[in-house]
Structure formats: C-alpha cells, structure tokens
C-alpha cells in the first residue's frame, strides 16, 4: 500500500469517489503475456474484494517494442466491450492511426519500435527500404476491423474523482479541461519536473521508472514492461493507492 508523500500540512490527499475502485494499468508495449496476468489479477481482486463500482483504465502504449501487439489489442478490445474499460490513446497508438492514413508516417513510427508490431500481424518487410505505400497496403489488408474500431474508441484523457488519467501527463499551468492532445500523448520534461498542483492528481505512464512513482501531484506507473517484465497495475480506493 502506498500513499503520496505529504510535505504541506494543509495537503489534502486526492480521493476516488465513494464505493468506487479504480484499476489503472501502465504501458504494455506488446507484452500480451503480462497483460493476461494483470487482467487475471484484477478479476481475482474484484472477486475477493467486491465493491459497488469498478473502473478499469489502461493508460496507452499498447503496441510496439514487445512481441505481441496484436494479441494485446485483442485482449483490450474484449475488456472495453465486456468490462466497459477506459482505454486511453498513447503516442504509439497515435502513430499507428496516422500510419493507417498516411504511409509517410512509417519513418517516424519505425524509430519507436513498429517493426515488432507489424510482425505480430504477420507483416515482415524483409527487404528494406520497402515502399511505404506497399507496406501500408499490406498492413491494412491484415488489420482487423475490430482493431480499427478499438482505435476509434480510445480517449485522450479521463477524469474520476480527484484523479486525471492521461498517457504522458499534462502541461503545467494549463487548466485540465484545456489540455492539448499532443501534450497528453507526448509531454515529458515540463510535466515531470513540475511541482505544480494540476487541479487533479495525474495518473500517467510514457516515461519508464524502476517502480511506481507516487507524488503529491502525479503517479507514474510505466515500469517499462516490454523489457523489465513488470507491468504495473494500481488499485485506487478512497485515498489509498495499492500496487496490485
């Protein structure tokens, strides 16, 4: 069980709504094996500790780098429908969606680990450089409609109680309701170095840390699952943050 450090005696810990438990899951990056284990832990925790309202939130970056992005999207599409899970858009999903419409995005996407994603769908560009247009065409021919619909359902952010969920973070001094999607998907330094009160406690991923980083104004749960083998899930209930 973890609580954010309190330096200000007037600090009021952020709280989830009454009778509500929030499960938030960090960056998955193609580790379908770890996601399946995490889903099993969530389901087991709910059965052992029933509560009136359950909210399941995935913070984005489901694809790239790890070996099985396709299965990750299969699993999340089911959770979205059956459990009404909230699935946020990460910068990697943003690039995937751009590539589906513009093959020129491939050069940028490739630098962030898209080759593993393509391979998980059975697309192996053996002879590089390959035509970006042909590569896009091959990918579109095997990309399931359920995955296209899943991408359309992604949100840029979500608010529950005193918590604000976004993939990368927020721009300091900008009201929560005015945050720009580019910052929600990509921001790092300005947000990570800020001690500002953002109006809500921001739960985010995007920047890997060795273990969950819980502070007075933000909680980072990206523990680099694709290479560390640790996919972090936290359960928020009242003012308590439990690493599941």
């Amino acid at each position: 069980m973890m609580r954010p450090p309190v330096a200000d005696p007037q600090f009021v810990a952020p709280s989830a709504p009454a009778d509500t438990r929030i499960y938030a899951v960090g960056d998955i990056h193609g580790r379908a094996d770890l996601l399946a284990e995490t889903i099993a832990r969530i389901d087991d925790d709910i059965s052992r500790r029933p509560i009136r309202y359950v909210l399941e939130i995935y913070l984005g970056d489901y694809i790239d780098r790890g070996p099985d992005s396709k299965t990750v999207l299969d699993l999340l599409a089911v959770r979205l429908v059956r459990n009404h899970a909230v699935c946020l858009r990460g910068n990697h999903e943003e690039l995937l969606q751009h590539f589906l419409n513009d093959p020129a995005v491939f050069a940028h996407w490739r630098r962030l680990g898209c080759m593993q994603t393509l391979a998980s769908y059975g697309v192996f560009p053996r002879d590089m450089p390959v035509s970006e247009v042909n590569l896009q065409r091959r990918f579109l021919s095997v990309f399931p409609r359920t995955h296209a619909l899943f991408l359309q359902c992604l949100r840029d952010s979500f608010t529950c109680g005193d918590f604000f969920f976004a993939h990368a973070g927020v721009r300091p001094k900008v009201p929560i309701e005015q945050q720009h999607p580019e910052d929600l998907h990509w921001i790092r330094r300005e947000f990570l170095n800020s001690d500002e009160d953002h109006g809500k406690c921001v739960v985010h991923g995007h920047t890997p840390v060795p273990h969950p980083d819980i502070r007075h104004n933000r909680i980072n749960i990206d523990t680099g699952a694709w290479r560390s083998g640790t996919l972090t899930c936290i359960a928020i209930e009242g003012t308590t943050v439990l690493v599941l």
Side-chain angles (χ1 to χ4, degrees):
M1 186 183 301
M2 306 178 71
R3 297 176 185 272
V6 179
D8 183 349
Q10 295 184 328
F11 173 80
V12 177
S15 178
D19 302 318
T20 300
R21 185 180 306 135
I22 306 168
Y23 295 94
V25 179
D27 302 33
I28 301 163
H29 278 307
R31 290 299 301 266
D33 56 338
L34 300 179
L35 175 59
E37 293 171 4
T38 299
I39 287 172
R41 288 204 307 275
I42 291 173
D43 289 342
D44 178 66
D45 192 53
I46 295 170
S47 67
R48 290 187 298 103
R49 302 190 301 140
I51 192 167
R52 187 173 183 182
Y53 300 111
V54 171
L55 181 60
E56 206 171 309
I57 303 177
Y58 296 87
L59 294 180
D61 278 9
Y62 314 122
I63 62 168
D64 298 342
R65 295 178 176 155
D68 205 353
S69 294
K70 181 179 185 295
T71 302
V72 168
L73 296 194
D74 285 337
L75 292 169
L76 291 178
V78 171
R79 298 303 279 192
L80 188 150
V81 173
R82 293 184 182 174
N83 295 59
H84 305 290
V86 173
C87 295
L88 301 185
R89 180 179 290 103
N91 58 308
H92 288 254
E93 288 76 48
E94 177 185 306
L95 288 174
L96 166 59
Q97 289 182 282
H98 286 331
F99 176 69
L100 293 172
N101 295 300
D102 180 5
V105 174
F106 176 71
H108 185 190
W109 189 25
R110 186 183 183 189
R111 292 193 292 271
L112 295 184
C114 80
M115 301 300 277
Q116 292 89 339
T117 297
L118 296 177
S120 74
Y121 286 89
V123 176
F124 301 94
R126 295 181 178 87
D127 301 318
M128 298 297 291
V130 68
S131 162
E132 295 171 345
V133 173
N134 287 337
L135 185 60
Q136 183 208 45
R137 185 178 299 120
R138 288 162 58 187
F139 186 60
L140 284 170
S141 71
V142 298
F143 194 65
R145 176 164 171 73
T146 53
H147 289 191
L149 293 172
F150 172 78
L151 292 177
Q152 292 176 20
C153 292
L154 298 182
R155 308 186 190 203
D156 293 321
S157 64
F158 189 81
T159 300
C160 184
D162 297 328
F163 295 91
F164 181 80
F165 300 83
H167 172 65
V170 299
R171 184 162 294 279
K173 301 185 186 300
V174 175
I176 286 290
E177 62 277 7
Q178 296 177 22
Q179 292 290 325
H180 193 280
E182 183 175 351
D183 288 324
L184 297 172
H185 302 163
W186 292 92
I187 199 166
R188 288 195 199 271
R189 181 178 55 81
E190 301 93 332
F191 170 64
L192 298 175
N193 293 339
S194 175
D195 288 326
E196 292 280 333
D197 179 350
H198 304 300
K200 301 278 185 182
C201 179
V202 180
V203 182
H204 67 98
H206 187 55
T207 302
V209 287
H211 49 77
D213 185 6
I214 301 181
R215 306 191 180 196
H216 73 279
N217 62 347
R218 66 179 180 88
I219 302 174
N220 183 356
I221 59 171
D222 176 9
T223 45
W226 71 276
R227 59 184 171 190
S228 70
T230 301
L231 176 60
T232 294
C233 173
I234 58 172
I236 303 171
E237 191 172 340
T239 59
T240 298
V241 179
L242 172 70
V243 179
L244 199 61

